[in-house]
């Protein structure tokens, strides 16, 4: 379940970062019915925002995979108007149940994809795996009973 929490953290970075992404992309005021695709510059900003919120705590390879997956899922599931509406909701801290369910779904999907790919999640996890692989298969000494 650790991978799921990583996915959720990557998707739910600080609300100020969401607002920053919307402002930096010079988001106009499309209506939620604006069915045009999400502009590529905004998707690139989303990827960078996701990485910024993920990499300090987790393995960069896992963060890149999670963020790429998340951006691709947003591109697939949302049009421009819906995406901007979601950004506004996240920035205000008032996310609709529909968007909350979609974000959870994306987090579960992407976390499962990273887990299935076998990508180590955190720096500590990667080090532990390397240590385990390097250990010889020797049973620990057992204390001898007194005679």
């Amino acid at each position: 379940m650790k991978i799921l929490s990583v996915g959720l953290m990557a998707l739910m970075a600080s609300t100020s970062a969401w607002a920053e992404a919307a402002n930096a992309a010079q988001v106009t005021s499309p209506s939620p019915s604006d069915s045009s695709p999400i502009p590529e510059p905004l998707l690139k900003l989303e990827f960078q925002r996701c990485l910024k919120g993920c990499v300090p705590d987790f393995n960069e390879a896992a963060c890149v995979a999670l963020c790429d997956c998340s951006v691709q899922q947003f591109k697939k599931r949302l049009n421009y108007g819906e995406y901007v509406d979601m950004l506004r909701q996240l920035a205000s801290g008032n996310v609709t149940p529909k968007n909350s369910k979609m974000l959870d779904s994306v987090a579960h999907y992407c976390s499962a994809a990273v887990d299935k790919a076998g990508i180590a999640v955190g720096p500590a996890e990667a080090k532990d795996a390397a240590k385990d692989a390097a250990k010889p298969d020797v049973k620990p000494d057992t204390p001898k009973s007194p005679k």
Side-chain angles (χ1 to χ4, degrees):
M1 277 303 173
K2 184 176 182 180
I3 190 76
L4 179 58
S5 65
V6 175
L8 290 171
M9 285 187 63
L11 284 176
M12 307 288 188
S14 75
T15 56
S16 62
W18 286 95
E20 181 183 314
N23 291 334
Q26 298 176 354
V27 173
T28 57
S29 295
S31 70
S33 62
D34 183 347
S35 61
S36 61
I38 303 169
E40 285 299 317
L42 198 53
L43 292 171
K44 287 179 184 177
L45 270 171
E46 177 64 30
F47 179 80
Q48 292 302 318
R49 183 218 48 85
C50 179
L51 278 180
K52 185 178 179 181
C54 181
V55 170
D57 299 317
F58 300 98
N59 179 304
E60 187 172 354
C63 290
V64 167
L66 282 167
C67 293
D68 183 54
C69 178
S70 298
V71 167
Q72 293 307 312
Q73 288 299 304
F74 289 157
K75 185 176 180 178
K76 181 178 176 180
R77 296 175 187 218
L78 301 171
N79 63 41
Y80 180 47
E82 293 166 335
Y83 176 74
V84 171
D85 191 46
M86 180 190 70
L87 286 179
R88 287 186 185 130
Q89 290 174 23
L90 286 163
S92 73
N94 190 19
V95 181
T96 65
K98 178 183 174 185
N99 278 335
S100 181
K101 184 176 179 179
M102 187 274 305
L103 288 167
D104 286 346
S105 175
V106 169
H108 284 280
Y109 177 86
C110 293
S111 295
V114 170
D115 193 36
K116 185 177 179 181
I119 299 171
V121 176
E125 189 175 297
K127 288 178 187 173
D128 290 344
K131 282 183 192 175
D132 289 344
K135 285 182 183 175
D137 191 20
V138 177
K139 294 181 183 179
D141 290 337
T142 55
K144 295 180 182 179
S145 59
K147 291 185 181 182

